[in-house]
Amino acid sequence: MIIIIAEALFWVLVVAGMVVRYWLRMPTLSKFLLLAVPLVDVALVIAVIAELRAGRPVGIEHQLAGLYLGISLILGPGIIRWCDEKARSLSSREKASPRPHTTFSEKMRHELVFLAQWSVAVGIAFLINQGLMYAAVHESQREALSQASSMPLGSILFVAFFGPGWLLLFGENDKQQKTSR
């Protein structure tokens, strides 16, 4: 439940920040709302630690807290930039500029950057889960959190296969694009 609340607060703060910035024209207040987004992450970890210290059994929300925090820290700024571009476009009633044609190398670079970001997010998740294991008061809590530490590692393989791997296997490279024109 606490992870759902954290996710909801993330989006409430992002949407409120965009509405305040572009429709109410209050950029300073918008900055404060968007700067509050990482505080939600901190509150989530504090809440998880408090529940562990109280002896509550480890649930999926406790196991996913580290991954949520890692993703939020590493991918959150990009998500907020994307929302900012969309809100700016909507508020000015301009059509978003069309994306230029991207080459195979640009697509591969994008996929490799995302894979690197995802790997860092998973690394952060692993470290957070290790820290949560120290906060746990029962051995059963430590075991459950230990299992959660290895769960995200498989996601790196998943992202690698369906990101750069998929592009290598099924994407058109620059040579194929030139010959097909």
Side-chain angles (χ1 to χ4, degrees):
M1 183 65 168
I2 57 176
I3 230 157
I4 294 170
I5 293 169
E7 182 68 11
L9 280 173
F10 171 86
W11 286 108
V12 164
L13 289 170
V14 169
V15 170
M18 299 304 146
V19 167
V20 167
R21 177 178 293 169
Y22 292 109
W23 284 277
L24 300 180
R25 308 275 187 235
M26 300 168 71
T28 306
L29 179 57
S30 172
K31 286 179 186 172
F32 281 114
L33 288 168
L34 294 174
L35 287 172
V37 170
L39 298 177
V40 171
D41 300 333
V42 171
L44 172 66
V45 171
I46 290 171
V48 168
I49 290 171
E51 288 184 351
L52 291 174
R53 299 302 290 169
R56 184 162 178 226
V58 173
I60 190 76
E61 68 272 12
H62 302 102
Q63 293 175 325
L64 292 177
L67 186 59
Y68 177 84
L69 182 60
I71 290 171
S72 183
L73 288 174
I74 301 303
L75 301 177
I79 292 169
I80 292 172
R81 274 192 302 277
W82 179 84
C83 289
D84 194 54
E85 290 170 12
K86 296 297 178 190
R88 185 180 325 111
S89 159
L90 284 171
S91 71
S92 65
R93 299 198 190 322
E94 294 175 7
K95 286 186 179 178
S97 57
R99 291 185 175 187
H101 179 71
T102 54
T103 64
F104 178 81
S105 338
E106 291 168 333
K107 290 177 187 174
M108 182 57 77
R109 182 186 174 284
H110 171 77
E111 293 297 335
L112 290 172
V113 165
F114 181 76
L115 177 60
Q117 290 175 322
W118 185 261
S119 298
V120 170
V122 167
I124 289 171
F126 178 80
L127 293 174
I128 300 255
N129 275 346
Q130 295 302 307
L132 291 175
M133 286 171 57
Y134 287 111
V137 292
H138 300 299
E139 188 60 35
S140 62
Q141 291 175 318
R142 285 186 199 91
E143 286 177 26
L145 289 168
S146 174
Q147 292 171 354
S149 292
S150 62
M151 284 190 318
L153 297 177
S155 70
I156 293 175
L157 297 174
F158 183 84
V159 170
F161 179 76
F162 286 104
W166 194 265
L167 191 58
L168 280 173
L169 292 172
F170 303 108
E172 290 185 5
N173 64 30
D174 295 335
K175 290 177 185 172
Q176 289 173 329
Q177 289 175 349
K178 287 177 185 175
T179 59
S180 65
R181 289 182 191 175

